[in-house]
Short mmCIF file of all heavy atoms in Angstrom, two decimals:
data_model
loop_
_atom_site.label_atom_id
_atom_site.label_comp_id
_atom_site.label_asym_id
_atom_site.label_seq_id
_atom_site.Cartn_x
_atom_site.Cartn_y
_atom_site.Cartn_z
N ILE B 213 318.02 83.34 165.57
CA ILE B 213 316.74 82.66 165.32
C ILE B 213 316.26 82.86 163.81
O ILE B 213 315.82 82.00 163.16
CB ILE B 213 315.64 83.16 166.27
CG1 ILE B 213 316.02 82.90 167.70
CG2 ILE B 213 314.24 82.54 165.99
CD1 ILE B 213 315.46 81.81 168.39
N ASP B 214 316.37 84.15 163.39
CA ASP B 214 315.94 84.44 161.99
C ASP B 214 316.67 83.51 160.99
O ASP B 214 316.05 83.00 160.00
CB ASP B 214 316.17 85.88 161.61
CG ASP B 214 315.06 86.77 162.18
OD1 ASP B 214 314.10 86.24 162.76
OD2 ASP B 214 315.21 88.04 162.15
N GLN B 215 317.90 83.42 161.12
CA GLN B 215 318.77 82.55 160.25
C GLN B 215 318.33 81.06 160.40
O GLN B 215 318.34 80.33 159.39
CB GLN B 215 320.24 82.66 160.50
CG GLN B 215 320.81 83.87 159.73
CD GLN B 215 320.78 85.14 160.55
OE1 GLN B 215 319.68 85.55 161.12
NE2 GLN B 215 321.93 85.85 160.68
N GLN B 216 318.14 80.60 161.61
CA GLN B 216 317.66 79.26 161.84
C GLN B 216 316.43 78.95 161.09
O GLN B 216 316.24 77.96 160.40
CB GLN B 216 317.46 78.94 163.33
CG GLN B 216 318.78 78.77 164.12
CD GLN B 216 318.48 78.13 165.51
OE1 GLN B 216 317.89 77.04 165.55
NE2 GLN B 216 318.84 78.79 166.64
N ARG B 217 315.47 79.91 161.22
CA ARG B 217 314.20 79.77 160.50
C ARG B 217 314.42 79.65 158.99
O ARG B 217 313.78 78.85 158.29
CB ARG B 217 313.22 80.94 160.84
CG ARG B 217 311.89 80.80 160.22
CD ARG B 217 311.03 81.98 160.49
NE ARG B 217 310.04 82.14 159.50
CZ ARG B 217 308.92 81.42 159.33
NH1 ARG B 217 308.61 80.50 160.28
NH2 ARG B 217 308.12 81.57 158.38
N GLN B 218 315.23 80.57 158.50
CA GLN B 218 315.49 80.61 157.08
C GLN B 218 316.11 79.31 156.57
O GLN B 218 315.73 78.74 155.58
CB GLN B 218 316.49 81.88 156.87
CG GLN B 218 317.04 82.01 155.46
CD GLN B 218 318.26 82.91 155.52
OE1 GLN B 218 318.33 83.89 156.34
NE2 GLN B 218 319.24 82.62 154.68
N PHE B 219 317.11 78.72 157.36
CA PHE B 219 317.77 77.60 156.95
C PHE B 219 316.78 76.40 157.00
O PHE B 219 316.59 75.62 156.01
CB PHE B 219 319.01 77.25 157.81
CG PHE B 219 319.70 75.99 157.36
CD1 PHE B 219 320.47 75.98 156.27
CD2 PHE B 219 319.49 74.84 158.08
CE1 PHE B 219 321.13 74.75 155.84
CE2 PHE B 219 320.13 73.59 157.68
CZ PHE B 219 320.93 73.60 156.60
N ALA B 220 316.01 76.26 158.09
CA ALA B 220 315.02 75.17 158.26
C ALA B 220 313.98 75.25 157.12
O ALA B 220 313.68 74.18 156.59
CB ALA B 220 314.40 75.21 159.69
N LEU B 221 313.57 76.42 156.78
CA LEU B 221 312.60 76.61 155.76
C LEU B 221 313.18 76.10 154.34
O LEU B 221 312.48 75.40 153.55
CB LEU B 221 312.10 78.04 155.53
CG LEU B 221 310.91 78.42 156.35
CD1 LEU B 221 310.59 79.93 156.18
CD2 LEU B 221 309.63 77.61 155.92
N ALA B 222 314.42 76.43 154.12
CA ALA B 222 315.08 76.07 152.92
C ALA B 222 315.16 74.55 152.82
O ALA B 222 314.94 73.91 151.77
CB ALA B 222 316.44 76.72 152.75
N VAL B 223 315.36 73.89 153.97
CA VAL B 223 315.47 72.42 154.01
C VAL B 223 314.07 71.82 153.67
O VAL B 223 313.97 71.02 152.78
CB VAL B 223 315.95 71.92 155.39
CG1 VAL B 223 315.71 70.43 155.55
CG2 VAL B 223 317.37 72.26 155.58
N ILE B 224 313.06 72.30 154.42
CA ILE B 224 311.77 71.59 154.25
C ILE B 224 311.12 72.01 152.92
O ILE B 224 310.22 71.25 152.43
CB ILE B 224 310.77 71.84 155.43
CG1 ILE B 224 310.50 73.30 155.62
CG2 ILE B 224 311.39 71.08 156.71
CD1 ILE B 224 309.45 73.45 156.80
N GLU B 225 311.56 73.09 152.35
CA GLU B 225 311.05 73.42 150.96
C GLU B 225 311.51 72.35 149.99
O GLU B 225 310.84 72.00 148.99
CB GLU B 225 311.45 74.75 150.57
CG GLU B 225 310.48 75.87 150.98
CD GLU B 225 311.00 77.28 150.89
OE1 GLU B 225 312.05 77.45 150.36
OE2 GLU B 225 310.25 78.18 151.31
N ARG B 226 312.78 71.81 150.25
CA ARG B 226 313.23 70.70 149.41
C ARG B 226 312.39 69.45 149.70
O ARG B 226 312.30 68.59 148.86
CB ARG B 226 314.74 70.44 149.55
CG ARG B 226 315.69 71.60 149.33
CD ARG B 226 315.52 72.19 147.91
NE ARG B 226 315.66 71.17 146.88
CZ ARG B 226 315.25 71.32 145.63
NH1 ARG B 226 314.63 72.43 145.31
NH2 ARG B 226 315.37 70.35 144.77
N PHE B 227 311.91 69.31 150.99
CA PHE B 227 311.15 68.11 151.26
C PHE B 227 309.69 68.14 150.66
O PHE B 227 309.07 67.06 150.43
CB PHE B 227 311.02 67.96 152.77
CG PHE B 227 312.24 67.64 153.50
CD1 PHE B 227 312.30 67.49 154.93
CD2 PHE B 227 313.48 67.39 152.78
CE1 PHE B 227 313.50 67.18 155.54
CE2 PHE B 227 314.66 67.15 153.53
CZ PHE B 227 314.62 66.96 154.84
N GLY B 228 309.12 69.28 150.44
CA GLY B 228 307.79 69.39 149.91
C GLY B 228 306.95 70.55 150.50
O GLY B 228 305.82 70.74 150.07
N TYR B 229 307.48 71.29 151.52
CA TYR B 229 306.79 72.40 152.05
C TYR B 229 306.64 73.43 150.99
O TYR B 229 307.57 73.76 150.19
CB TYR B 229 307.65 72.97 153.16
CG TYR B 229 307.11 74.29 153.87
CD1 TYR B 229 306.47 74.19 155.08
CD2 TYR B 229 307.38 75.55 153.31
CE1 TYR B 229 306.01 75.40 155.72
CE2 TYR B 229 306.96 76.65 153.89
CZ TYR B 229 306.32 76.63 155.08
OH TYR B 229 305.88 77.74 155.71
N SER B 230 305.48 74.20 150.94
CA SER B 230 305.29 75.39 150.12
C SER B 230 304.38 76.34 150.80
O SER B 230 303.43 75.96 151.47
CB SER B 230 304.75 75.05 148.79
OG SER B 230 303.35 75.06 148.80
#
Side-chain angles (χ1 to χ4, degrees):
Chain B
I213 304 258
D214 281 354
Q215 275 89 309
Q216 285 195 55
R217 180 180 156 83
Q218 173 199 323
F219 181 77
L221 268 177
V223 167
I224 60 176
E225 274 167 4
R226 301 304 307 161
F227 291 178
Y229 174 103
S230 87

